[in-house]
Structures are given as structure tokens and as C-alpha cells.
Amino acid sequence: MAFWPSVVVATPAHSGVGATLTYRSELSLAPGTLVRVPLGAREVLGVVWECPTEAPEGLSEAQTRAVASVLEGLPPLNARWRQLVRFAAQYYQRSLGEVALAALPPQLRDLSTVQLARRLKKQQVARAGGASAPADAPGQHAPALSEEQHAALTALEAATAPVLLYGATGSGKTEVYLQATEHALQSQADAQALVMVPEINLTPQLEARFRERFEPLFGAGALVCLHSGMTPAQRLAGWLAAHTGQARIVLGTRMAVLASLPGLRLIVVDEEHDPSYKSQEGARYSARDLAVYRAKVESEALAAAATTTAPARCRVVLGSATPSLESWHAAEQGRYLRLSMPARIGGGALPRLRVVDMNHQPKGALLAPPLVAAMAERIARGEQCMVLLNRRGYAPVLACHDCGWKSACPHCSAYRVFHKLDRTLRCHHCGFTERVPRACPECGNLDIAPVGRGTEQLEEQLAGLLADVQRPDGGPARVARMDADSTRLKGSLEVQLATMHSGEVDVLVGTQMIAKGHDFRRITLVAGINADSGLFASDYRAPERLFALLMQAGGRAGRDAAFVTRQGSESELWVQTWTPQHPLFDALRRHDFPAFAAQQLAERESAGMPPFGHQALLRADARTQQAAQAYLNAAAQAADGLPHRNDITLYPAVPLTIQRVANVERAQLLVEAASRGALQRFLNAWQPVLLACRSLPEARGLVRFAVDVDPLAI
Ligand SMILES: [Zn+2]
Ligand SMILES: [Zn+2]
């Protein structure tokens, strides 16, 4: 008897290859089985989607090729996983194969059946070794919860809707995640939990806390990580452990949302407002939104299979001190259950806001004198400070004041940033790097000068301004910098975090990287020094981002209430601005996120912006800007007469803010609809048109196009 499995293989999003390819097999293959199949002259990894006993109509045996091999020893990917992948592909307008194969560890593609069997065996041996019966009684390590934490945990475990855990910085959200995870894992022997964080490498403390708590309870292999910083071998091992159920907890970044977790009972999305949950390439999915969908699919399957009246569920918790307006709105509407934890653990106060009006400061000052004085006082008392400037390098531009030359990137419509430490001009968009020229390349003037400021310059200036300040031990004040440049070398981030924790460093200067999640115990002052750049960006989400960043940065101050009291100190958040009257600062002063969210949501509603309206971008990359825009406009014209065309608005094509990157011209076209359903129906109808438009004469020079559904920036 012959079978005709339809198999999903990695195909580029718009390759025109159908969703699945039909093969032949002597065996019946369960849907979700991993196989190797011939494709052209190659043999590729594929996932069996269905396995009918009859050939699809019009397809003869001669027209199909046989499945080359089956990856033995691996259980099939289950129906819930396949449903998640199908949904993600359809919603984000990508091919099924692209999403499905991207969700598998890359190394799985290259392994032969024999190599895989060896890998699985190795893992089983490790399991047998690691699974020595846990010595400790469950829950032994868990600290007592505050009343607020306890109430949140209880409500979370009774919830049937997605939970928005709205907790102030320092309110102890992590402990709630830990105990919810423990309860979920103890509910059933094969239960699993997925815990997602924006950037795992930035917060090694979190991973350590999870390991410390759960390895004694569930064995050494109970927790695996999944993120893009791992080697291919580590990723494969982590994925296999999750897929076979050996790992009970997966701690990962956005990619982990698509991991195979057959026993999934809890999903945590920490810092759910963080933009890094939205992928910016390939299938541009939102891991937060997929997490909510995934929990629903898992819960429905559990309910369908249940024999009791109170079936198990898969819960999803979105946590933040400054939730995304999308999630906040969902909670206002009652679609999400909002649980609040306003108090900080240890009773510490949130930092007091000090707004510095830069109109009244000495001209050209990077740091206002009162801010420098406040920092000096704190350093002298043995407290630490943190200064945030969201621009790395020494200066964003190098310029000649004689002829007007500027350090433009030859490949991008952007300036190259001046890095003083290694005397380079670096393009932060394409990476093009050159030595700083001795003289102006245009006119030979020797006096070329930096314009504007970055973190390197801030570090240099602060070291100068604080040169005479003494620490309590008599030593000079020490300033350190932490950004993508200073942490490029492996291990350097850990070293820098350690010097901050140990108190060797008095002032930490850096980009938003320093605002994220760190639990520095002795910081009492945090300063944001170019807040305005966020307020006047054209992006409508800019105020939301700035508010979240400042709240989060401020949250690094005064985390140890006992320390602050002992010091007789008070924690403060300083903000330098040219527009101190902006309403955002009022809400920030009162730590009043609900008021800020209400005001922003009212603005969005009157403008029909998300979450009240729904958007997608059609983006085009081409060799000329003209071709990029011509393609987009042709695609818009060709949409006339399509079903659901009248439910949406198509805007004219426009260049991106940075229109050329690495010699590719970029343009986009905005699609708007009043409802998510209308937008989806139109995009589905439009997809074949977008493919067809590639071959129009005016689109000659088009490199690629992509649809971005629910874009974060327009
Ligand atoms: Zn010049
Ligand atoms: Zn460049």
C-alpha cells in the first residue's frame, strides 16, 4: 500500500511553491513526523502535514518522489504545535514552510538519521545521570509571598483568561512567576512551562534564580534555555530536551514561543511591552501575541480531552510595570484579567522625579550642574548612580566646519558615528567602518570636530566632572560605560555587571541596556539625559516607549529599601528635558501609568490608531527608490476590485526614514482597517496580487517585498 504524505519544507515566503509538497511513502506517517525528502537535487528536512492513502487528484506515481528517510526516535510534532505554526504563517502572511522550519533548530536540518540517533542517546544518558531523585521537598526554597503577591498568584491560578500582571518595578513579579511555575509543574508529571524574557543575556541573575529554584526539585536537566546567542549544538540539545519532555522549563527569548512543548501548562511573558518580542525579519511575528494564542489552543485541547468537569488549562501571564497599550486596552475591555501589584517588596518608595528644564542650564551643557552636584553627594555617601543616554559612540556625526563635510555612510542614507576609543567612523546600520581621517576628506582642513553626544563622550565628561569626588573609602569616583560596544566580547557583560554589583563602580553610563531588569542594590539616583529625542519622534508610539523606558530606568533606583533608609537617602529619577511642561512628566511624577495609558489610549482612539485600528505595512527593497515605490503603488492599484478592498485604506508609498541601507533603497505602504478580521481578509486576497506584481516592468530592480502585520513602527 502506498501513502501520499504532504510535507512542509523550508521555502522562501514568496517562492510561489505551494504550502505543502506531495511525496510517496511505503509507510503511513503520522502528521508532525520529521522526515528528509528530496527537493530538486538536494535532500531537505520536512514536516509531514497530512498522510492520505490516496494520491491527490491529477498526481501520478511517476510525478512524485519518495520520502528519503524518517527521523527515527523523535515523536511527531503534535497537533497543537502545528496549529500554532499554521496560524502564525497565515496571520503574518508567510509560507507555512518558512514558519515551520524556522521554528526547528537549524542543526536538525544537517543531521543524518544516524547522527540524530546518537544525539538522542547522549541526551538519554545525561538524563539518567541527572535525574537523581530530588532530595528536597517541594516548595522548600520558596520564600513567603507578600499579601499582594499571594493574591496575584491565587487569582492567576483561578483565571480562565490571559492574565496581565501589572506590577511596579521591584514589586516581586519574578517570585510570582517562580511559584506559578512550580505549581504548574507539580500539577502533572509531564507538565512544562515556558518563560520568556526580552533578552536573556542581559539578566543572567534571572536564569540563576530559576536554576537554583528548580534544579533541586526537578533534576539538573529540568531547565533549558533557547535564544539566538546559543551555539547550534546547544540549541539543538535544548530543543530536543523540550520536545521529548525531558526539560520541564524553557527559559527563552521570542524564538522560544515556537518551541515544541508537548506538556505546556504555563506561559510567562516577562516585560511584555518590550519591542524585542516583535520579530523584525522573516516572519514578523509578535511572540507575545502568539503566546496568548498558544495558551488558548493548548487549553482547548485539554478541555476537549478532559474527563473531569474542571479540566487542566494552559495559563498565560503577561507581566510589566508599563504594559503595552494593546494589553492594557484588552484588560480594560475585560478580555484579559488585570492583576495589580503596586507595592515594592521591602516597602521601598518609587524614586522621586526631578525634571531639569534645560532651557535654564548653561548653554551647551551635556549634564545640568544640579544633577552633577546630586551625583557627587551620593557617590561621597557610598551610593551608586546610573546615567542613561540612548546613543552609543562618542558623537553621532563628525563634521568639517570649513566646507560642511559630514561623516555620511557611502552605503546608507545615514551618518557614520564617531567612536573615539578606537578612532573609527562606524555605520550603525550597515556596519561599514573606517579609520577616522586625519583631515577633512573634502577640503583638507585638519580641524574636523564631533557634533552631538554619545555614551563614550558622556563617560569621558562625567569622569572629568567627578574627578575631585571621593568615595567613602577615600578613592576617586569611578565611572564605567555599558553599551553594545563595551559588551561585544564574550563574558564582558558579566564582568561589567559584577563590578557594578560589587560597588567597584560608582556611576554606570549606558544605553537602554542598563535600564533592563538589573537588580543593583545600591543605586539611588538614575538620570535620563536626552529624553526629548523620544518625545518628538514622528512615531506615534514614541511617548509610550519613553514612558516605559524612564519608568524602567527609574525602577533601578532604591531597590533595597533598607539600604536607602540606612543611608538617610532618597531615591531619585532625574530627567533632562527642553519641554518640562509635557504631560508625560506629570504622570511619571505620580508613577501613574493608568493615567498615562488612559490619555494615550484616548489619543489613539480619536486617531483610529492601534489598538483601535489595525495596520499592516507592505515593505519593498529595491535597487532604486523609484522601483521600490513603483512596485508598492502598482500593488495598491492592482488591489482595486479585490474582495474586502472597501474595508481598508491604502496609503501612498513613502520612503523609510532611513531610506537607503547597505545600498538597498527601502519604501513602504501603510494598510489600515477598522477591524483585525477585515485586515486579514484583505491581506489574504492581496497576497497573490503581490506575487504577480513582482514581474511588472515598473518593478524591475525590486529585491524583495514583505508584509509586516501589526507593525511596531510606521
Ligand atoms: Zn572640509
Ligand atoms: Zn551604512
Side-chain angles (χ1 to χ4, degrees), residues 2-5 21-25 53-67:
F3 296 87
W4 305 85
L21 301 172
T22 299
Y23 289 87
R24 251 181 308 118
S25 162
T53 49
E54 270 170 49
E57 206 160 325
L59 208 58
S60 70
E61 189 157 338
Q63 287 168 301
T64 54
R65 301 168 78 179
V67 169

Side-chain angles (χ1 to χ4, degrees), residues 70-386:
V70 175
L71 272 68
E72 303 279 354
L74 272 189
L77 293 150
N78 68 30
R80 282 105 62 206
W81 183 86
R82 298 198 307 278
Q83 188 176 339
L84 173 71
V85 165
R86 193 184 299 114
F87 171 81
Q90 198 192 6
Y91 187 85
Y92 294 105
Q93 301 286 313
R94 309 297 288 203
S95 79
L96 192 54
E98 188 193 15
V99 177
L101 276 292
L104 301 175
Q107 219 183 31
L108 204 54
R109 295 179 202 189
D110 310 323
L111 287 187
S112 69
T113 314
V114 180
Q115 287 167 317
L116 177 68
R118 209 178 298 148
R119 202 61 61 93
L120 281 166
K121 190 150 185 211
K122 207 165 110 192
Q123 205 133 3
Q124 270 159 4
V125 172
R127 170 167 30 174
S132 50
D136 301 296
Q140 194 171 318
H141 298 277
L145 294 177
S146 72
E147 236 169 83
E148 264 181 24
Q149 285 173 316
H150 182 75
L153 183 64
T154 310
L156 185 168
E157 289 178 341
T160 50
V163 168
L164 177 62
L165 182 60
Y166 164 54
T169 52
S171 63
K173 289 188 288 292
T174 307
E175 188 54 42
V176 175
Y177 303 151
L178 284 161
Q179 298 203 18
T181 301
E182 187 177 331
H183 293 178
L185 297 192
Q186 271 160 0
S187 68
Q188 215 174 315
D190 61 354
Q192 293 177 304
L194 168 62
V195 179
M196 288 197 285
V197 292
E199 282 157 278
I200 248 174
N201 294 327
L202 281 185
T203 48
Q205 274 177 316
L206 184 76
E207 186 186 334
R209 257 179 99 176
F210 268 84
R211 283 199 188 284
E212 222 169 87
R213 183 72 60 88
F214 293 115
E215 286 184 345
L217 292 178
F218 301 107
L223 182 141
V224 295
C225 288
L226 278 181
H227 57 87
S228 54
M230 296 162 69
T231 66
Q234 288 170 329
R235 260 176 78 175
L236 176 65
W239 185 87
L240 285 175
H243 177 59
T244 55
Q246 185 187 340
R248 304 289 302 277
I249 305 161
V250 169
L251 182 61
T253 52
R254 69 164 178 261
M255 68 188 305
V257 79
L258 292 169
S260 168
L261 287 153
L264 192 58
R265 291 293 182 278
L266 173 72
I267 309 178
V268 173
V269 185
D270 189 26
E271 308 292 357
E272 65 91 33
H273 64 279
D274 198 291
S276 69
Y277 283 120
K278 179 83 158 72
S279 170
Q280 293 302 321
E281 53 188 26
R284 294 170 175 238
Y285 63 85
S286 157
R288 175 193 67 214
D289 295 349
L290 285 183
V292 172
Y293 179 82
R294 187 170 191 177
K296 185 174 118 201
V297 170
E298 296 285 345
S299 292
E300 283 168 359
L302 286 166
T307 49
T308 62
T309 48
R313 298 187 61 84
C314 175
R315 302 211 153 72
V316 57
V317 185
L318 315 178
S320 178
T322 50
S324 64
L325 291 177
E326 280 79 3
S327 299
W328 190 260
H329 180 60
E332 298 276 280
Q333 288 184 316
R335 285 184 287 126
Y336 292 179
L337 172 68
R338 180 168 53 218
L339 302 173
S340 303
M341 300 201 305
R344 277 186 144 183
I345 290 294
L350 285 164
R352 187 154 75 97
L353 182 69
R354 302 283 301 260
V355 175
V356 182
D357 184 348
M358 291 307 279
N359 297 295
H360 300 145
Q361 299 304 318
K363 217 170 174 258
L366 175 56
L367 292 148
L371 171 59
V372 178
M375 290 171 64
E377 265 176 44
R378 284 164 195 267
I379 295 165
R381 289 203 302 256
E383 298 163 28
Q384 291 174 311
C385 305
M386 198 170 97

Side-chain angles (χ1 to χ4, degrees), residues 9-34:
V9 298
T11 48
H14 312 300
S15 60
V17 175
T20 59
L21 301 172
T22 299
Y23 289 87
R24 251 181 308 118
S25 162
E26 302 298 311
L27 302 167
S28 172
L29 300 172
T33 302
L34 285 155

Side-chain angles (χ1 to χ4, degrees), residues 409 411-412 427 429-432 662:
C409 173
H411 309 295
C412 305
C427 175
H429 301 280
C430 73
F432 181 67

